[in-house]
Amino acid sequence: MIYDNDPWLEPYKEVIDRRHRDVLAILDRMVSRAGSLTDAANNHMYYGLHRLPGGDWVFREFAPNASRIYLIGQFNNWRRTEGYALKPVGGGNWELTLPSYFISHGELYKLFVEWPGGGAERLPSYVNRAVQDPETKLFCAQVWEPAKPYRWRNRRPGPRPNPFIYECHIGMSSEDEKVSTFDEFRRTVLPRVHRLGYDTLQIMALQEHPYYGSFGYQVSNFFALSSRFGTPEEFKRLVDDAHGMGIAVIMDIVHSHSVDNEAEGLGMFDGREDLYFHKGERGRHPAWGSRCFDYGKDETVSFLLSNCKYWMEEYRLDGFRFDGVTSMVYWDHGLGKDFGDYSLYFDDGVDEDALIYLTLANRLIHDLDPDALTIAEDVSGMAGLAASFGEGGVGFDFRMSMGVADHWIKWIKEKSDEQWSMGEIWWELTRKRADEKTVSYAECHDQAMVGDKTIIFRLMDKEMYYSMDTGSENPVVDRGVALHKMIRLVTAATAGDGYLNFMGNEFGHPEWIDFPREGNRWSYSHARRQWSLEDSPALRYAGLARFDEAMVHYLSNGQCLAVPPELIRADEEKKILVFRRKNSIFALNFHPSASFADYGFPAPGGEYSVALSSDEAEFGGFGRVCKGERHLTVDGILYLYLPSRTLLVLNN
C-alpha cells in the first residue's frame, strides 16, 4: 500500500484502508446488479433516442420529479400532443415508442417537461447531438442516424508509458479568424503533430458547451460532441487518421461541474435542483458559477461512468485528462488552500464520494482498454491520486505537474537571469512522489489565456513585433529565443514520466489567447494559430519549431523518460546545470553572458557525441557548437565548451 513506502502517510493508514474498502463495497454492489462494472455503465444505451430491433424508435428519460413529458420537434411542429407524450415506467423513468417513419435523420427536437408548479423546454440529458441556431443562439437536439455509418480503418496505437502530449483546441487551430473544424484540423494540423513527434493528442472542448469562450469547460450536454466543429463522422475520421499515424487521442473530460444553464444543460431539469447535483449552496461553484455534482447519488455516478464508456466506445478515444480534480475532491474546491499539510488530504474537507467516483472511473476505463491513459489535473498534490487502486490509490496513470509552469512564470517574472538558482530549478522540476507518474510542461493553455502571457511573450514582449526576422540583431530577442529552447528542453528532459505542449507554443506563438466576447467586440484575432509564422524561413519561429521537433524525437526515440534523471552538477556561480538520463547527458549554461571552455564534470568513461545543440544555426543559434562533435572523458571527467545560454545533449 502507498503508506508502506511513505512514512508521512502512516498516520493516515486507517483512512486509506477505509477508502479502499468503501470502493470495494460499492464495486461489489454494482457488479452484483449488472454483472460487471462495464455493464453497469450502459445508461447511454438505455436513455435517449434509439432504434429498436424492429426498426421503431424508443425514447427514454430519467426525470423522477416530472408530472408530464412531451417529445416535441420538427416531426410534430413543436406541439405537445398525446401521441408524443412519454409514459412513466417506474423508478423515475419515462418512455415513448414511435413507428420508424415518425422521425428522420437531421430533424430537430426537444423535450417539454412539466412538474408540479411549472414546466419548460429541455434538451434530453443523454442527448448525443445538439446544434445551435445561428440567429437565436439556442440549442436543439438533433436526430443523428447517417445513412452510411463511419467505418474504422486503423487500430488503436497501444500503450503510452511516457507520453509526449500535444494539447489542442479544434476551434482555434486555424489561422483564419473563425471557428475551425475537425476536417481542417485533420488535414492541416495533424500532419504537423506527427512531424513534430508527439505521440498523444489531447483535445479540449469536445463536449457540447453553449459559450464558445468557456474553452469547453462549461459543459451542457455531456454525451454530445460539439457540433460547432463538425459532425461525429468527421471527428471519427480525425481519430482514425491519428491512430494510423501512431498517435493516441485523449480528451479533456469535464466531470467536475456542469454549466448552470437550464434550457441547454441539466440545471433544474425536472423542476428540482438536485437531480444530479447537491442542494443549495453546496450545489453551486463559488468561483465558476456552475453546478456541482453530487457524487454520492447512484444516478450521478451511473451518468458519469456511462459518459466515460460512451466516449471510449463511440469515438475510440484512448483515454482522458480529467479536468478540475481538485475542485471535485474538496468541499471547498481547494480555493485559497496552499496544501502544505498531508492532513488536508484525509480530513473531513475531502468529498469521499468524489474520490470513490474517480476510482471507479479509472477502473472502468482500464477495464475497457488496459492501454488507456488517464491523467488527473490536480493542484493539491493529494497522495495516491496517481497510485494504483491495489496500492490504495485512486488509479490515475499520471498527474499533471502543475507547479512546474507556475515556477517558470515566477522565475521569469520576478528574478533577473543572474538570480536564477540551478539547485532550485532542479528541485522544482524533479520534485514528485516516487510512487506516482507525472506529466510535466513549461506552459499549457492556462498560461496563455487573456490577462496572462506565454513564455515567449514574457521573455520578449513588444520586441516580438519588430525583431523576429532572421536578419535582426536584438539582444532581447536573442535572449528569448535561447531561453525558450532551454526552458522547454530542461522541462521535458527532467519530466517525471511524460511531457505536454500546447498547440503553437512549440514555435513560440506570439501574444495570448482570447476567445470572442463582448469585451473584445467578438473578435477571433486571438483565438487562432498563426502557422504562417512557423512556415516562414525569414522568421525565427521556424528555428524554434525545428528545435522542438528535434527535442521530442530525441527524447522519445531514446526512451529517455523511462528512467529517472540523475543530477551531476548544479553550479550556482556559473549558472550551469548538468544531469544524466539513461545514456544521455544534458548540459545547460544559463549564464546570460559567460561562456566556458573546457568545463569539466564527472561522467561515465567513454566517448560522447553531441546529439543536440540549441546553438545550431538551424535552431536560430550562433553555431558555436554543432551536432556530431565528439568528446572523450579524461580520468572520469568530461570537458565541454559551453557557450552562454546554450544547452548540449550528449550521447555515448
Side-chain angles (χ1 to χ4, degrees):
M1 301 294 280
I2 56 176
Y3 46 71
D4 291 330
N5 298 315
D6 185 349
W8 292 95
L9 290 177
E10 184 63 31
Y12 311 104
K13 180 178 182 295
E14 291 185 9
V15 178
I16 295 169
D17 288 343
R18 190 254 307 152
R19 287 176 177 174
H20 190 78
R21 291 194 301 270
D22 288 347
V23 174
L24 286 175
I26 292 177
L27 185 59
D28 286 345
R29 188 181 72 195
M30 296 177 75
V31 171
S32 66
R33 291 177 180 175
S36 69
L37 179 59
T38 57
D39 289 333
N42 285 335
N43 278 25
H44 57 292
M45 298 180 183
Y46 178 79
Y47 295 111
L49 185 64
H50 298 282
R51 284 282 192 186
L52 291 171
D56 289 344
W57 291 101
V58 63
F59 182 87
R60 303 186 185 97
E61 187 56 83
F62 177 70
N65 194 51
S67 53
R68 295 279 286 175
I69 301 180
Y70 297 93
L71 189 67
I72 59 174
Q74 292 176 319
F75 39 75
N76 63 6
N77 294 318
W78 302 97
R79 292 180 300 169
R80 285 174 271 165
T81 63
E82 285 303 312
Y84 287 87
L86 279 70
K87 307 299 181 185
V89 293
N93 296 313
W94 296 75
E95 184 174 293
L96 171 66
T97 302
L98 294 169
S100 60
Y101 55 87
F102 271 42
I103 301 175
S104 301
H105 170 68
E107 288 188 305
L108 304 179
Y109 68 99
K110 290 185 178 182
L111 298 177
F112 193 95
V113 182
E114 296 179 359
W115 56 81
E121 291 182 353
R122 294 287 185 260
L123 294 192
S125 56
Y126 286 80
V127 63
N128 60 13
R129 175 75 173 171
V131 294
Q132 187 177 28
D133 186 285
E135 300 297 328
T136 67
K137 304 302 181 184
L138 298 176
F139 280 81
C140 281
Q142 185 178 42
V143 179
W144 199 255
E145 191 190 42
K148 294 183 178 180
Y150 186 80
R151 295 182 64 182
W152 295 90
R153 295 174 290 108
N154 297 300
R155 296 180 178 179
R156 297 177 187 269
R160 290 291 181 273
N162 301 109
F164 284 80
I165 302 171
Y166 198 83
E167 182 187 36
C168 63
H169 183 282
I170 299 296
M172 61 173 288
S173 64
S174 169
E175 182 145 358
D176 298 330
E177 296 186 21
K178 64 175 187 178
V179 178
S180 191
T181 67
F182 295 126
D183 262 357
E184 288 177 298
F185 184 96
R186 178 181 57 80
R187 289 185 282 103
T188 63
V189 182
L190 187 60
R192 293 178 184 268
V193 179
H194 185 234
R195 170 177 55 79
L196 288 167
Y198 290 89
D199 62 15
T200 304
L201 195 65
Q202 179 178 304
I203 308 180
M204 307 172 65
L206 288 176
Q207 295 168 293
E208 192 60 87
H209 47 290
Y211 179 45
Y212 184 53
S214 75
F215 227 142
Y217 291 123
Q218 292 275 341
V219 173
S220 53
N221 312 111
F222 288 78
F223 291 82
L225 179 73
S226 183
S227 59
R228 56 170 56 88
F229 307 132
T231 68
E233 285 65 42
E234 289 165 344
F235 179 58
K236 289 175 182 178
R237 186 173 179 188
L238 191 165
V239 174
D240 204 5
D241 281 10
H243 286 172
M245 297 175 179
I247 298 173
V249 182
I250 65 175
M251 70 177 279
D252 258 4
I253 197 165
V254 181
H255 284 178
S256 48
H257 64 135
S258 173
V259 71
D260 194 36
N261 301 33
E262 297 175 8
E264 300 94 351
L266 298 172
M268 301 294 289
F269 183 82
D270 62 353
R272 43 184 285 213
E273 64 174 342
D274 62 335
L275 180 60
Y276 295 102
F277 311 112
H278 287 288
K279 286 184 179 180
E281 185 177 346
R282 178 163 281 183
R284 304 277 178 174
H285 198 292
W288 298 343
S290 52
R291 302 303 306 267
C292 298
F293 285 111
D294 182 349
Y295 304 102
K297 288 177 172 285
D298 287 348
E299 50 267 40
T300 302
V301 172
S302 296
F303 179 87
L304 296 176
L305 288 177
S306 299
N307 193 234
C308 295
K309 183 176 181 179
Y310 171 79
W311 286 99
M312 290 187 72
E313 294 194 336
E314 181 67 20
Y315 296 106
R316 297 199 179 182
L317 296 182
D318 303 293
F320 304 95
R321 173 223 188 236
F322 278 75
D323 179 70
V325 168
T326 307
S327 180
M328 295 175 71
V329 300
Y330 299 99
W331 290 117
D332 62 5
H333 310 293
L335 299 173
K337 281 185 178 179
D338 61 6
F339 293 101
D341 188 332
Y342 264 42
S343 66
L344 297 174
Y345 306 147
F346 302 100
D347 63 17
D348 57 9
V350 175
D351 183 350
E352 301 286 343
D353 292 327
L355 279 181
I356 290 172
Y357 163 67
L358 288 171
T359 308
L360 292 172
N362 275 283
R363 180 70 174 265
L364 169 70
I365 292 164
H366 292 105
D367 281 352
L368 291 168
D369 180 6
D371 294 334
L373 178 65
T374 59
I375 306 171
E377 189 229 15
D378 168 62
V379 298
S380 76
M382 175 180 276
L385 268 185
S388 71
F389 176 64
E391 295 172 338
V394 176
F396 282 100
D397 296 300
F398 298 86
R399 66 191 316 149
M400 301 296 293
S401 189
M402 302 182 71
V404 169
D406 292 339
H407 277 91
W408 281 123
I409 292 174
K410 176 183 176 182
W411 294 325
I412 295 170
K413 184 178 180 180
E414 300 178 5
K415 296 184 178 184
S416 68
D417 295 2
E418 292 80 5
Q419 293 174 319
W420 285 19
S421 166
M422 300 300 100
E424 182 184 14
I425 289 174
W426 174 260
W427 169 251
E428 296 298 347
L429 296 190
T430 59
R431 183 163 58 102
K432 63 183 288 290
R433 293 186 60 81
D435 57 349
E436 298 188 22
K437 299 173 76 174
T438 60
V439 172
S440 295
Y441 56 97
E443 54 184 340
C444 67
H445 71 276
D446 286 331
Q447 284 70 45
M449 295 300 289
V450 64
D452 210 335
K453 296 180 180 180
T454 59
I455 283 178
I456 199 78
F457 207 56
R458 285 187 182 278
L459 292 169
M460 299 183 190
D461 210 77
K462 67 181 186 301
E463 301 299 323
M464 289 191 74
Y465 299 126
Y466 310 111
S467 303
M468 282 298 283
D469 59 285
T470 55
S472 67
E473 294 183 4
N474 185 312
V476 174
V477 171
D478 288 345
R479 170 183 178 265
V481 168
L483 288 180
H484 189 268
K485 290 179 284 186
M486 296 180 74
I487 287 169
R488 305 182 90 72
L489 184 282
V490 74
T491 301
T494 58
D497 306 275
Y499 174 72
L500 177 141
N501 164 68
F502 179 69
M503 176 178 66
N505 286 355
E506 68 276 1
F507 68 84
H509 198 282
E511 300 178 322
W512 54 88
I513 298 171
D514 187 13
F515 280 82
R517 55 188 173 87
E518 188 174 2
N520 65 15
R521 298 182 181 180
W522 304 103
S523 170
Y524 287 85
S525 177
H526 292 284
R528 61 192 180 113
R529 297 284 91 175
Q530 299 180 60
W531 304 108
S532 60
L533 298 177
E534 176 194 352
D535 295 339
S536 173
L539 298 176
R540 301 184 72 172
Y541 299 102
L544 295 177
R546 285 192 291 267
F547 175 79
D548 197 81
E549 179 181 349
M551 176 189 80
V552 171
H553 278 283
Y554 180 83
L555 294 175
S556 59
N557 291 343
Q559 298 182 322
C560 291
L561 304 192
V563 296
E566 305 171 32
L567 179 64
I568 296 175
R569 176 78 54 80
D571 189 329
E572 300 293 358
E573 179 185 356
K574 293 182 171 62
K575 303 300 176 190
I576 291 176
L577 180 64
V578 184
F579 59 94
R580 185 182 178 209
R581 196 154 196 180
K582 206 172 181 182
N583 61 341
S584 298
I585 290 178
F586 301 84
L588 300 96
N589 179 6
F590 281 96
H591 200 286
S593 59
S595 299
F596 303 97
D598 294 328
Y599 185 86
F601 53 84
E607 182 181 74
Y608 292 81
S609 61
V610 176
L612 183 64
S613 166
S614 65
D615 199 49
E616 289 185 55
E618 68 168 317
F619 303 146
F622 297 99
R624 292 166 293 181
V625 179
C626 296
K627 183 178 179 180
E629 289 188 6
R630 296 183 179 277
H631 302 268
L632 283 169
T633 55
V634 179
D635 297 328
I637 303 296
L638 186 62
Y639 294 92
L640 300 176
Y641 169 49
L642 291 177
S644 63
R645 291 193 179 124
T646 295
L647 69 87
L648 301 180
V649 182
L650 299 103
N651 190 281
N652 72 345

